[in-house]
Each structure stands twice: as C-alpha cells, then as structure tokens.
Amino acid sequence: MIDFSILPIFFTAIFFLAISPGPDLVLISTYSSTKGFQAGFMVAIGVFFAGILQTLLVALGLGQLMQSMPIFAYAIKIFGALYLSYLGIKMLGSWYRNNQQTSSTQSSSENLTSLSLINKGFLNNLLNPKALLFFSLFLPQFITGTGSLSVQILVLGVLLSSFVLLVNCAFSVAFSQFGKLVSKKFNLGRHIDGLLGFIFLGLATRLATSK
C-alpha cells in the first residue's frame, strides 16, 4: 500500500522538521536541561501521543474541516494560548514563593510526576492547531492511489511520530548533559520555576500571535 521508494524523502523531511526550533523542542530542551533526561523524555512521550491522536484526526477528516472552517483552528489556538499562560503564571508564582524562603534551594517543580510531564508535552503539541494542519497537509503527499487511504495515513503518521520521538530523545540526552555542565557553574535549582514560567508565557504569546 505504501510506496517504499518515497520513504527516504519522507524521513529526510521529518528529520529537518524535528530539528527545527519550535514549541515542542523548546519545552523538551528546557525540561531536559533543568530537570534531567527523564523529564525531557516524558515530555517527548507526550508529544508522541499527541502525534498519534492527530494522525487519527487527520484520518477522520478533521484536518480538512479545520481548513474549511478556520474558526475551529482559531478557537483551539486561543484556548492553547490561555492554557500556556496559566502554566506560566503558575510557575512564576511558585518561583516567587520559593525565593521568599531563603532556606529553600529546591523548586517545587521537582515534584512533577511523569504523568504531568507527559500531559504538558501532549497539550503543548495538541493545542497548537498548526500541528494538526501540518499533519493534514503533509501526510497525504506520501499516499498512493491503491489501498485504503486512511490506513496509509495511519501508518505514515505512526512512522512520523515514532521518528520524531527518537530525535527528541536524542535532544533530551544532549540537553540533559548540557544542563549538568551549566548547573555546576550556576545555582539554577531555585530559579527553575521562573525559567519555565517565562518559557510558557513566551510559548503562549507565540501561539496567540501566530497566523
């Protein structure tokens, strides 16, 4: 059903997509460098699950619906920006409270569970309508005229999400090692929440002002 001759082009395009700066990479690199590989990996898992869900939505035709009715994409964008703003303000509040306590050297963000990190990666990707629109425009370019189109989209979407997960894991390893080197020179432990707060507010602003 899938033309295997196009897979090298498919994976090359995905690779450059995965390494290009974007909201997912910002989130993964931030958590990896401040919290370690496991935190970044959990965020990457969330992005992977979002990719699988978006593949299912494209197979069901939601991507085409969003293109024909932009109001849906706009509503998702605004909701996503509000959610990221909420996270950013919450992080900044936590940072402020921790820095009022001079005896505290650890940020409350260190109590984040794996599930909450997965949820952050999942929602950061899913609430960006550009991601779903990209899936709906990119995947159909690699389907053939034979066999079920929905099945081909599902297979290509799983391949895309899995490949991006591998690239994001590599980024998690690299940024976690970078974080270890930086933390030896700077006491960043108590400022992690503040950094994440500004990151989330930046992502919210970027999403809200994007066209």
Side-chain angles (χ1 to χ4, degrees):
M1 290 186 297
I2 295 178
D3 185 1
F4 290 99
S5 64
I6 56 92
L7 289 182
I9 300 175
F10 178 75
F11 285 117
T12 300
I14 296 173
F15 174 75
F16 285 105
L17 166 70
I19 64 174
S20 62
D24 294 334
L25 183 56
V26 169
L27 203 62
I28 291 169
S29 61
T30 302
Y31 272 102
S32 298
S33 59
T34 57
K35 302 299 298 171
F37 167 74
Q38 184 175 355
F41 176 69
M42 289 298 106
V43 174
I45 290 292
V47 173
F48 170 79
F49 286 146
I52 297 298
L53 178 56
Q54 287 166 346
T55 298
L56 293 173
L57 294 176
V58 169
L60 294 174
L62 183 60
Q64 286 74 16
L65 177 63
M66 290 179 64
Q67 293 178 58
S68 61
M69 300 185 68
I71 187 64
F72 286 127
Y74 180 77
I76 294 174
K77 181 177 74 170
I78 295 302
F79 180 79
L82 291 174
Y83 171 75
L84 293 174
S85 297
Y86 163 75
L87 291 180
I89 294 172
K90 183 179 179 181
M91 290 285 188
L92 287 175
S94 176
W95 169 74
Y96 177 79
R97 290 190 299 271
N98 276 277
N99 279 274
Q100 293 302 302
Q101 304 172 3
T102 56
S103 61
S104 176
T105 59
Q106 295 292 327
S107 168
S108 63
S109 65
E110 296 194 359
N111 295 323
L112 287 172
T113 64
S114 295
L115 183 60
S116 66
L117 290 167
I118 291 174
N119 184 60
K120 280 181 171 56
F122 179 82
L123 291 177
N124 183 65
N125 184 274
L126 190 65
L127 293 177
N128 183 356
K130 283 189 173 182
L132 180 57
L133 290 174
F134 170 81
F135 270 70
S136 65
L137 294 173
F138 180 77
L139 295 179
Q141 297 183 44
F142 297 93
I143 62 177
T144 64
T146 60
S148 171
L149 299 183
S150 295
V151 171
Q152 292 184 66
I153 288 176
L154 289 174
V155 172
L156 290 171
V158 170
L159 289 175
L160 186 156
S161 299
S162 300
F163 187 83
V164 171
L165 175 62
L166 292 176
V167 174
N168 285 339
C169 286
F171 274 118
S172 295
V173 172
F175 279 104
S176 64
Q177 294 302 313
F178 172 77
K180 290 179 181 179
L181 293 175
V182 172
S183 64
K184 291 179 180 179
K185 297 183 179 181
F186 304 97
N187 182 20
L188 298 179
R190 63 189 303 171
H191 299 296
I192 291 176
D193 278 338
L195 174 62
L196 292 174
F198 282 114
I199 291 292
F200 278 116
L201 288 177
L203 292 175
T205 302
R206 183 181 186 276
L207 180 57
T209 57
S210 64
K211 298 182 179 180

